[in-house]
Amino acid sequence: METLRGVLHPQALGNATMEPANKSQLSPNTFWLMGIPGLEHLHVWIGIPFCSMYIVAVMGNVTILTVVRAERSLHEPMFIFLCMLSVTDLVLSTSTLPRMLCLFWMGDHDIAFDACLAQMFFIHSFTAMESGFFLAMAIDRYVAICDPLRHATILTHSRIAQMGVAVALRGVGFFSPHPILLKQLPYCRTRIIAHTYCEFMAVVKLACVDTGATKRYSLSVASVIGSCDGFFIALSYVLILRAVFRLPSREASLKALGTCGSHVCVILVFYSTAVFTFLTHRFGYNVAPRVHIFIANMYLLVPPFLNPIVYGIRTKKIREYVLSFLRIKVS
């Protein structure tokens, strides 16, 4: 899902109002992050909701990890996968938001080339992991609802660990070539990145050699991972819905629909922004750069912000544990 965010348009560079006075003074080992083209005067205000969402994301995901670790009754497949998703969200948001807030609030536009490549790797590899953990959680829900008697025997702790390692290795393996490829390219054009963070397509377009093969690899990996995960997630929830409508109890059906509905909403937010950005890569040359970059930022911010709310607060066991802990502290 990496490059499902931000190939930016050439005209974006023409919109920069905060470019350094002398571009040639930039160190050959640094890039200059522009931010959101055309909205530079609003950077300070844009940073406020971004920071608020980041604080909620960190607190929510840390709370989930703490609660699941402390409460042995939560050591179930659903909550173990939820912990994997929380770790992914923490890395994904922390690799971008603090640096982005420095840009918005302190005007710190310079970023070292190696730091840029590291940020790019974390963003793209952990985005792929997030997609993989959404799939793993969909499989868990499918087994729990469609074959509940065999749920514990199918999703054993060893099998859950294998699934987690496979998702992590897939993200690292497919996106490790990105910083390696970019490290070897010559950059003789401008070093201004028309974005709020180091995104693969925004950086590769600055190279002064033909990068067609590199772009095709990146887009192919992103499309294959995103489409395969999305297909199997959709298939899982179709089978879940079919099983839910066959339940004899209306109350059980409504409960299952409510749980699955909230999960589907989070997944739709994740994949809809991904698909929009991916299509903008290929066809959206008339999409305003500010719109593209803003949605790319939402792609990084919203899932880590929503996941603790949907998977945490709406989960009865986690909610009850947190409330009981707060009552003990108050008393």
Side-chain angles (χ1 to χ4, degrees):
M1 309 283 319
E2 59 88 27
T3 39
L4 304 182
R5 47 180 107 196
V7 164
L8 298 173
H9 310 276
Q11 65 264 34
L13 297 176
N15 294 335
T17 60
M18 297 180 63
E19 299 181 10
N22 186 352
K23 299 175 189 176
S24 64
Q25 291 179 357
L26 282 175
S27 166
N29 294 321
T30 63
F31 282 120
W32 199 85
L33 292 170
M34 179 188 296
I36 304 178
L39 296 180
E40 293 88 351
H41 61 291
L42 297 176
H43 276 177
V44 173
W45 298 105
I46 293 173
I48 294 174
F50 279 24
C51 181
S52 301
M53 293 173 71
Y54 175 62
I55 292 172
V56 172
V58 171
M59 293 179 62
N61 285 295
V62 169
T63 299
I64 288 175
L65 292 171
T66 304
V67 170
V68 174
R69 183 178 183 275
E71 182 57 47
R72 293 189 62 84
S73 65
L74 297 179
H75 294 180
E76 302 173 0
M78 173 183 173
F79 299 107
I80 295 174
F81 285 130
L82 180 57
C83 286
M84 295 179 185
L85 184 66
S86 292
V87 171
T88 302
D89 284 337
L90 286 172
V91 174
L92 191 59
S93 56
T94 302
S95 64
T96 53
L97 259 296
R99 183 64 188 80
M100 197 184 299
L101 293 176
C102 288
L103 188 158
F104 287 158
W105 288 344
M106 295 185 287
D108 185 7
H109 293 265
D110 290 329
I111 183 170
F113 183 44
D114 289 338
C116 183
L117 295 182
Q119 184 187 60
M120 180 191 307
F121 168 75
F122 281 113
I123 290 172
H124 299 326
S125 60
F126 277 84
T127 300
M129 292 182 204
E130 179 130 353
S131 176
F133 290 131
F134 277 137
L135 174 59
M137 295 175 75
I139 293 173
D140 170 67
R141 290 299 84 202
Y142 165 74
V143 176
I145 293 175
C146 298
D147 197 0
L149 297 179
R150 299 178 58 208
H151 183 234
T153 57
I154 293 175
L155 290 177
T156 61
H157 283 181
S158 62
R159 191 159 292 164
I160 292 170
Q162 291 170 2
M163 293 171 68
V165 170
V167 169
L169 289 178
R170 185 188 69 167
V172 172
F174 279 112
F175 295 109
S176 290
H178 282 62
I180 297 173
L181 291 171
L182 293 185
K183 184 78 171 178
Q184 298 173 356
L185 294 177
Y187 297 91
C188 54
R189 299 176 183 172
T190 177
R191 291 193 170 250
I192 297 176
I193 300 175
H195 216 296
T196 53
Y197 56 84
C198 289
E199 185 273 335
F200 180 81
M201 286 296 185
V203 175
V204 75
K205 68 187 292 188
L206 304 181
C208 53
V209 294
D210 180 26
T211 58
T214 303
K215 291 178 180 178
R216 284 192 295 273
Y217 169 79
S218 182
L219 289 172
S220 298
V221 169
S223 60
V224 168
I225 290 178
S227 58
C228 287
D229 287 353
F231 171 78
F232 286 111
I233 289 172
L235 178 62
S236 297
Y237 279 104
V238 167
L239 295 175
I240 288 172
L241 288 175
R242 188 179 69 174
V244 166
F245 288 126
R246 291 178 177 177
L247 292 175
S249 169
R250 176 180 172 80
E251 182 181 351
S253 297
L254 292 176
K255 181 179 178 181
L257 283 175
T259 301
C260 293
S262 58
H263 293 185
V264 169
C265 288
V266 174
I267 293 170
L268 285 177
V269 170
F270 179 80
Y271 281 101
S272 61
T273 52
V275 170
F276 174 86
T277 313
F278 181 79
L279 293 177
T280 305
H281 278 310
R282 303 299 302 271
F283 312 111
Y285 298 105
N286 294 323
V287 177
R290 69 182 69 179
V291 174
H292 190 180
I293 295 174
F294 190 80
I295 292 180
N297 289 328
M298 291 299 99
Y299 184 35
L300 288 177
L301 280 169
V302 175
F305 168 76
L306 284 181
N307 289 342
I309 298 174
V310 172
Y311 293 109
I313 295 176
R314 286 181 59 86
T315 302
K316 184 179 179 181
K317 289 184 178 180
I318 293 180
R319 185 173 65 248
E320 288 179 347
Y321 183 90
V322 172
L323 291 175
S324 64
F325 177 80
L326 292 176
R327 289 193 197 103
I328 293 172
K329 285 292 185 182
V330 171
S331 60

Short mmCIF file of all heavy atoms in Angstrom, two decimals, residues 52-94:
data_model
loop_
_atom_site.label_atom_id
_atom_site.label_comp_id
_atom_site.label_asym_id
_atom_site.label_seq_id
_atom_site.Cartn_x
_atom_site.Cartn_y
_atom_site.Cartn_z
N SER A 52 -3.90 16.53 17.79
CA SER A 52 -4.94 15.95 18.64
C SER A 52 -5.20 14.50 18.26
O SER A 52 -5.32 13.62 19.13
CB SER A 52 -6.24 16.77 18.53
OG SER A 52 -6.02 18.11 18.91
N MET A 53 -5.29 14.22 16.97
CA MET A 53 -5.51 12.86 16.51
C MET A 53 -4.34 11.96 16.87
O MET A 53 -4.52 10.79 17.23
CB MET A 53 -5.76 12.86 15.00
CG MET A 53 -7.05 13.54 14.58
SD MET A 53 -7.21 13.71 12.79
CE MET A 53 -7.48 12.02 12.32
N TYR A 54 -3.13 12.51 16.78
CA TYR A 54 -1.94 11.72 17.12
C TYR A 54 -1.93 11.36 18.61
O TYR A 54 -1.63 10.21 18.98
CB TYR A 54 -0.68 12.51 16.75
CG TYR A 54 0.60 11.84 17.18
CD1 TYR A 54 0.97 10.60 16.66
CD2 TYR A 54 1.45 12.45 18.09
CE1 TYR A 54 2.15 9.99 17.05
CE2 TYR A 54 2.64 11.84 18.48
CZ TYR A 54 2.98 10.62 17.95
OH TYR A 54 4.15 10.01 18.33
N ILE A 55 -2.29 12.32 19.47
CA ILE A 55 -2.32 12.05 20.92
C ILE A 55 -3.35 10.97 21.23
O ILE A 55 -3.08 10.04 22.00
CB ILE A 55 -2.64 13.35 21.69
CG1 ILE A 55 -1.47 14.33 21.57
CG2 ILE A 55 -2.93 13.04 23.15
CD1 ILE A 55 -1.75 15.70 22.15
N VAL A 56 -4.54 11.07 20.62
CA VAL A 56 -5.56 10.05 20.84
C VAL A 56 -5.09 8.69 20.34
O VAL A 56 -5.31 7.65 21.00
CB VAL A 56 -6.88 10.45 20.13
CG1 VAL A 56 -7.89 9.31 20.18
CG2 VAL A 56 -7.47 11.70 20.77
N ALA A 57 -4.43 8.68 19.18
CA ALA A 57 -3.93 7.41 18.62
C ALA A 57 -2.91 6.77 19.54
O ALA A 57 -2.98 5.56 19.80
CB ALA A 57 -3.32 7.67 17.24
N VAL A 58 -1.96 7.56 20.05
CA VAL A 58 -0.93 7.00 20.93
C VAL A 58 -1.55 6.50 22.24
O VAL A 58 -1.28 5.37 22.67
CB VAL A 58 0.16 8.06 21.22
CG1 VAL A 58 1.11 7.56 22.30
CG2 VAL A 58 0.94 8.36 19.94
N MET A 59 -2.37 7.33 22.86
CA MET A 59 -2.99 6.93 24.13
C MET A 59 -3.89 5.71 23.96
O MET A 59 -3.87 4.77 24.79
CB MET A 59 -3.78 8.10 24.72
CG MET A 59 -2.94 9.27 25.16
SD MET A 59 -3.92 10.63 25.83
CE MET A 59 -4.68 9.85 27.24
N GLY A 60 -4.67 5.69 22.89
CA GLY A 60 -5.58 4.58 22.67
C GLY A 60 -4.85 3.27 22.41
O GLY A 60 -5.19 2.23 22.99
N ASN A 61 -3.85 3.31 21.55
CA ASN A 61 -3.14 2.08 21.22
C ASN A 61 -2.28 1.58 22.38
O ASN A 61 -2.17 0.37 22.60
CB ASN A 61 -2.27 2.30 19.97
CG ASN A 61 -3.09 2.34 18.69
OD1 ASN A 61 -3.69 1.35 18.30
ND2 ASN A 61 -3.11 3.49 18.04
N VAL A 62 -1.68 2.50 23.13
CA VAL A 62 -0.93 2.09 24.32
C VAL A 62 -1.87 1.48 25.36
O VAL A 62 -1.52 0.48 26.03
CB VAL A 62 -0.15 3.29 24.92
CG1 VAL A 62 0.41 2.94 26.30
CG2 VAL A 62 0.98 3.70 23.98
N THR A 63 -3.06 2.04 25.50
CA THR A 63 -4.04 1.48 26.44
C THR A 63 -4.43 0.06 26.05
O THR A 63 -4.51 -0.83 26.90
CB THR A 63 -5.30 2.37 26.48
OG1 THR A 63 -4.94 3.68 26.93
CG2 THR A 63 -6.34 1.78 27.42
N ILE A 64 -4.66 -0.16 24.77
CA ILE A 64 -5.01 -1.51 24.30
C ILE A 64 -3.89 -2.49 24.62
O ILE A 64 -4.13 -3.59 25.14
CB ILE A 64 -5.31 -1.49 22.79
CG1 ILE A 64 -6.65 -0.80 22.52
CG2 ILE A 64 -5.33 -2.91 22.22
CD1 ILE A 64 -6.97 -0.64 21.06
N LEU A 65 -2.65 -2.12 24.33
CA LEU A 65 -1.52 -3.01 24.59
C LEU A 65 -1.40 -3.30 26.09
O LEU A 65 -1.14 -4.45 26.49
CB LEU A 65 -0.23 -2.38 24.08
CG LEU A 65 -0.10 -2.25 22.55
CD1 LEU A 65 1.12 -1.42 22.18
CD2 LEU A 65 0.00 -3.63 21.91
N THR A 66 -1.59 -2.28 26.92
CA THR A 66 -1.48 -2.45 28.37
C THR A 66 -2.57 -3.35 28.92
O THR A 66 -2.31 -4.25 29.73
CB THR A 66 -1.53 -1.07 29.06
OG1 THR A 66 -0.50 -0.23 28.54
CG2 THR A 66 -1.34 -1.23 30.57
N VAL A 67 -3.81 -3.12 28.46
CA VAL A 67 -4.95 -3.90 28.97
C VAL A 67 -4.82 -5.36 28.56
O VAL A 67 -5.01 -6.27 29.38
CB VAL A 67 -6.27 -3.30 28.46
CG1 VAL A 67 -7.43 -4.24 28.76
CG2 VAL A 67 -6.52 -1.94 29.09
N VAL A 68 -4.52 -5.62 27.31
CA VAL A 68 -4.42 -7.00 26.83
C VAL A 68 -3.28 -7.73 27.52
O VAL A 68 -3.39 -8.91 27.87
CB VAL A 68 -4.25 -7.04 25.30
CG1 VAL A 68 -3.99 -8.47 24.82
CG2 VAL A 68 -5.48 -6.46 24.61
N ARG A 69 -2.18 -7.04 27.76
CA ARG A 69 -1.05 -7.67 28.44
C ARG A 69 -1.40 -8.00 29.90
O ARG A 69 -0.99 -9.04 30.43
CB ARG A 69 0.17 -6.74 28.40
CG ARG A 69 1.43 -7.34 29.02
CD ARG A 69 2.59 -6.38 28.88
NE ARG A 69 3.83 -6.95 29.40
CZ ARG A 69 4.20 -6.91 30.68
NH1 ARG A 69 3.43 -6.31 31.57
NH2 ARG A 69 5.33 -7.45 31.08
N ALA A 70 -2.17 -7.13 30.55
CA ALA A 70 -2.46 -7.30 31.98
C ALA A 70 -3.57 -8.31 32.24
O ALA A 70 -3.56 -8.99 33.26
CB ALA A 70 -2.82 -5.96 32.60
N GLU A 71 -4.52 -8.41 31.33
CA GLU A 71 -5.69 -9.26 31.55
C GLU A 71 -5.55 -10.57 30.77
O GLU A 71 -5.64 -10.60 29.54
CB GLU A 71 -6.96 -8.52 31.10
CG GLU A 71 -8.24 -9.28 31.33
CD GLU A 71 -8.43 -9.68 32.78
OE1 GLU A 71 -8.25 -8.82 33.69
OE2 GLU A 71 -8.76 -10.86 33.01
N ARG A 72 -5.35 -11.67 31.47
CA ARG A 72 -5.11 -12.96 30.83
C ARG A 72 -6.33 -13.45 30.04
O ARG A 72 -6.19 -14.18 29.06
CB ARG A 72 -4.74 -14.01 31.88
CG ARG A 72 -3.39 -13.76 32.54
CD ARG A 72 -2.98 -14.94 33.40
NE ARG A 72 -2.82 -16.16 32.61
CZ ARG A 72 -1.73 -16.49 31.95
NH1 ARG A 72 -0.68 -15.68 31.98
NH2 ARG A 72 -1.66 -17.61 31.28
N SER A 73 -7.52 -13.03 30.44
CA SER A 73 -8.72 -13.47 29.72
C SER A 73 -8.79 -12.88 28.30
O SER A 73 -9.58 -13.34 27.48
CB SER A 73 -9.98 -13.08 30.50
OG SER A 73 -10.11 -11.67 30.58
N LEU A 74 -7.98 -11.87 28.05
CA LEU A 74 -7.95 -11.25 26.72
C LEU A 74 -6.87 -11.84 25.81
O LEU A 74 -6.66 -11.34 24.71
CB LEU A 74 -7.71 -9.74 26.86
CG LEU A 74 -8.78 -8.95 27.61
CD1 LEU A 74 -8.42 -7.48 27.69
CD2 LEU A 74 -10.15 -9.12 26.95
N HIS A 75 -6.20 -12.89 26.27
CA HIS A 75 -5.17 -13.52 25.44
C HIS A 75 -5.82 -14.47 24.45
O HIS A 75 -5.59 -15.68 24.44
CB HIS A 75 -4.15 -14.24 26.32
CG HIS A 75 -3.36 -13.32 27.18
ND1 HIS A 75 -2.39 -13.75 28.05
CD2 HIS A 75 -3.38 -11.97 27.31
CE1 HIS A 75 -1.85 -12.71 28.67
NE2 HIS A 75 -2.45 -11.62 28.24
N GLU A 76 -6.68 -13.90 23.61
CA GLU A 76 -7.41 -14.62 22.58
C GLU A 76 -6.96 -14.12 21.22
O GLU A 76 -6.36 -13.05 21.11
CB GLU A 76 -8.92 -14.40 22.75
CG GLU A 76 -9.47 -14.83 24.09
CD GLU A 76 -10.93 -14.44 24.27
OE1 GLU A 76 -11.48 -13.83 23.32
OE2 GLU A 76 -11.51 -14.73 25.33
N PRO A 77 -7.24 -14.90 20.15
CA PRO A 77 -6.77 -14.49 18.81
C PRO A 77 -7.15 -13.07 18.43
O PRO A 77 -6.32 -12.31 17.93
CB PRO A 77 -7.45 -15.53 17.90
CG PRO A 77 -7.59 -16.73 18.76
CD PRO A 77 -7.88 -16.23 20.14
N MET A 78 -8.41 -12.69 18.67
CA MET A 78 -8.86 -11.36 18.28
C MET A 78 -8.01 -10.26 18.92
O MET A 78 -7.61 -9.30 18.26
CB MET A 78 -10.33 -11.18 18.67
CG MET A 78 -10.86 -9.77 18.45
SD MET A 78 -12.56 -9.60 19.03
CE MET A 78 -12.80 -7.84 18.83
N PHE A 79 -7.74 -10.41 20.20
CA PHE A 79 -7.01 -9.37 20.92
C PHE A 79 -5.50 -9.42 20.64
O PHE A 79 -4.83 -8.39 20.71
CB PHE A 79 -7.29 -9.49 22.42
CG PHE A 79 -8.74 -9.33 22.77
CD1 PHE A 79 -9.50 -10.41 23.15
CD2 PHE A 79 -9.36 -8.09 22.66
CE1 PHE A 79 -10.84 -10.28 23.45
CE2 PHE A 79 -10.70 -7.94 22.96
CZ PHE A 79 -11.45 -9.04 23.35
N ILE A 80 -4.99 -10.59 20.33
CA ILE A 80 -3.58 -10.68 19.94
C ILE A 80 -3.36 -9.98 18.61
O ILE A 80 -2.42 -9.20 18.43
CB ILE A 80 -3.13 -12.15 19.88
CG1 ILE A 80 -3.20 -12.79 21.27
CG2 ILE A 80 -1.70 -12.25 19.33
CD1 ILE A 80 -2.91 -14.28 21.27
N PHE A 81 -4.27 -10.23 17.65
CA PHE A 81 -4.18 -9.51 16.37
C PHE A 81 -4.38 -8.01 16.57
O PHE A 81 -3.74 -7.19 15.90
CB PHE A 81 -5.23 -10.05 15.39
CG PHE A 81 -4.90 -11.38 14.80
CD1 PHE A 81 -5.83 -12.40 14.80
CD2 PHE A 81 -3.66 -11.62 14.24
CE1 PHE A 81 -5.53 -13.63 14.25
CE2 PHE A 81 -3.34 -12.86 13.69
CZ PHE A 81 -4.28 -13.87 13.70
N LEU A 82 -5.25 -7.64 17.50
CA LEU A 82 -5.48 -6.23 17.80
C LEU A 82 -4.21 -5.58 18.34
O LEU A 82 -3.90 -4.43 18.00
CB LEU A 82 -6.63 -6.08 18.80
CG LEU A 82 -7.01 -4.66 19.21
CD1 LEU A 82 -7.36 -3.82 18.00
CD2 LEU A 82 -8.18 -4.70 20.20
N CYS A 83 -3.46 -6.30 19.16
CA CYS A 83 -2.19 -5.78 19.66
C CYS A 83 -1.18 -5.58 18.53
O CYS A 83 -0.44 -4.59 18.49
CB CYS A 83 -1.60 -6.73 20.71
SG CYS A 83 -2.45 -6.66 22.30
N MET A 84 -1.15 -6.52 17.59
CA MET A 84 -0.27 -6.37 16.43
C MET A 84 -0.66 -5.13 15.63
O MET A 84 0.22 -4.37 15.18
CB MET A 84 -0.36 -7.62 15.54
CG MET A 84 0.14 -8.89 16.19
SD MET A 84 -0.04 -10.31 15.08
CE MET A 84 0.50 -11.66 16.15
N LEU A 85 -1.96 -4.92 15.47
CA LEU A 85 -2.42 -3.74 14.75
C LEU A 85 -2.06 -2.47 15.51
O LEU A 85 -1.68 -1.46 14.90
CB LEU A 85 -3.94 -3.83 14.55
CG LEU A 85 -4.58 -2.71 13.73
CD1 LEU A 85 -4.11 -2.78 12.28
CD2 LEU A 85 -6.11 -2.81 13.79
N SER A 86 -2.14 -2.49 16.84
CA SER A 86 -1.81 -1.31 17.65
C SER A 86 -0.34 -0.95 17.54
O SER A 86 0.02 0.23 17.43
CB SER A 86 -2.19 -1.56 19.12
OG SER A 86 -3.58 -1.65 19.29
N VAL A 87 0.53 -1.97 17.57
CA VAL A 87 1.97 -1.71 17.39
C VAL A 87 2.22 -1.08 16.03
O VAL A 87 2.99 -0.12 15.89
CB VAL A 87 2.78 -3.00 17.57
CG1 VAL A 87 4.23 -2.78 17.18
CG2 VAL A 87 2.69 -3.50 19.01
N THR A 88 1.57 -1.63 15.01
CA THR A 88 1.72 -1.09 13.65
C THR A 88 1.27 0.37 13.60
O THR A 88 1.94 1.22 13.00
CB THR A 88 0.90 -1.92 12.66
OG1 THR A 88 1.33 -3.28 12.72
CG2 THR A 88 1.08 -1.42 11.24
N ASP A 89 0.13 0.67 14.22
CA ASP A 89 -0.38 2.05 14.23
C ASP A 89 0.57 3.00 14.95
O ASP A 89 0.77 4.15 14.51
CB ASP A 89 -1.76 2.09 14.90
CG ASP A 89 -2.85 1.55 14.00
OD1 ASP A 89 -2.66 1.56 12.78
OD2 ASP A 89 -3.90 1.13 14.53
N LEU A 90 1.15 2.55 16.05
CA LEU A 90 2.09 3.39 16.80
C LEU A 90 3.31 3.72 15.96
O LEU A 90 3.76 4.87 15.92
CB LEU A 90 2.49 2.70 18.09
CG LEU A 90 1.44 2.67 19.21
CD1 LEU A 90 1.91 1.78 20.36
CD2 LEU A 90 1.16 4.08 19.72
N VAL A 91 3.86 2.72 15.28
CA VAL A 91 5.05 2.96 14.45
C VAL A 91 4.69 3.85 13.27
O VAL A 91 5.42 4.79 12.93
CB VAL A 91 5.64 1.62 13.96
CG1 VAL A 91 6.79 1.87 12.98
CG2 VAL A 91 6.13 0.79 15.13
N LEU A 92 3.56 3.57 12.63
CA LEU A 92 3.15 4.31 11.45
C LEU A 92 2.91 5.78 11.75
O LEU A 92 3.39 6.67 11.03
CB LEU A 92 1.88 3.69 10.88
CG LEU A 92 1.42 4.15 9.50
CD1 LEU A 92 2.50 3.88 8.46
CD2 LEU A 92 0.13 3.43 9.11
N SER A 93 2.20 6.07 12.84
CA SER A 93 1.90 7.46 13.17
C SER A 93 3.13 8.18 13.73
O SER A 93 3.37 9.36 13.41
CB SER A 93 0.75 7.53 14.17
OG SER A 93 1.04 6.78 15.34
N THR A 94 3.93 7.50 14.52
CA THR A 94 5.11 8.14 15.13
C THR A 94 6.21 8.40 14.11
O THR A 94 7.02 9.31 14.29
CB THR A 94 5.65 7.26 16.28
OG1 THR A 94 4.60 7.08 17.25
CG2 THR A 94 6.82 7.93 16.97
#
